[in-house]
Amino acid sequence: QVQLVESGGGLVQAGGSLRLSCAASGSIFSISNMGWYRQGPGKQRDLVARISSGGSTNYEDGVKGRFTISRDNAKNTVYLQMNSLVPDDTGVYYCKGTIQSSRFDRYFEVWGQGTLVTVSS
């Protein structure tokens, strides 16, 4: 069984910064893509940023230049550094990993439980 646990959310004023972490644990042989998704109040869950196992990244247009996704493969952890936060960044941030439990298994997706980020104006 594989588990993703996010941390680092909280309340911050507009213009401030937060750093989210997501650690994967359990039966893990390999992790390909890892990503952060956001679900704002009354909205659907959308991709914010994604990083491949090799470090290639892509971002939602609204966060380019403000957010940075990174990963530590040795720790099976992905980070999201969020700077210049605005109220529209408010939401529950979920981590997703595409994981292989053994070299004989297919990759499957695992979601974390989410961490709440609230940006006040």
Side-chain angles (χ1 to χ4, degrees), residues 22-55:
C22 170
S25 62
S27 179
I28 298 170
F29 174 75
S30 174
I31 304 178
S32 62
N33 294 333
M34 299 189 81
W36 288 97
Y37 293 73
R38 175 174 64 208
Q39 187 164 15
K43 298 180 180 180
Q44 66 183 19
R45 190 179 302 184
D46 291 324
L47 176 68
V48 173
R50 181 168 50 210
I51 185 167
S52 71
S53 58

Side-chain angles (χ1 to χ4, degrees), residues 2-5 21-32 34 70-79 95 99:
V2 176
Q3 189 177 20
L4 299 183
V5 178
S21 299
C22 170
S25 62
S27 179
I28 298 170
F29 174 75
S30 174
I31 304 178
S32 62
M34 299 189 81
S70 61
R71 65 191 284 172
D72 184 333
N73 291 332
K75 296 181 179 180
N76 290 332
T77 299
V78 64
Y79 306 96
C95 172
I99 294 170

Side-chain angles (χ1 to χ4, degrees), residues 8-20 38-41 66-67 82 84-93 114-121:
L11 174 64
V12 64
Q13 287 188 331
S17 298
L18 283 174
R19 188 189 194 213
L20 306 183
R38 175 174 64 208
Q39 187 164 15
R66 299 189 298 122
F67 290 10
M82 305 186 293
S84 302
L85 285 160
V86 299
D88 278 352
D89 294 323
T90 293
V92 179
Y93 283 71
T115 185
L116 177 63
V117 172
T118 303
V119 183
S120 64
S121 58

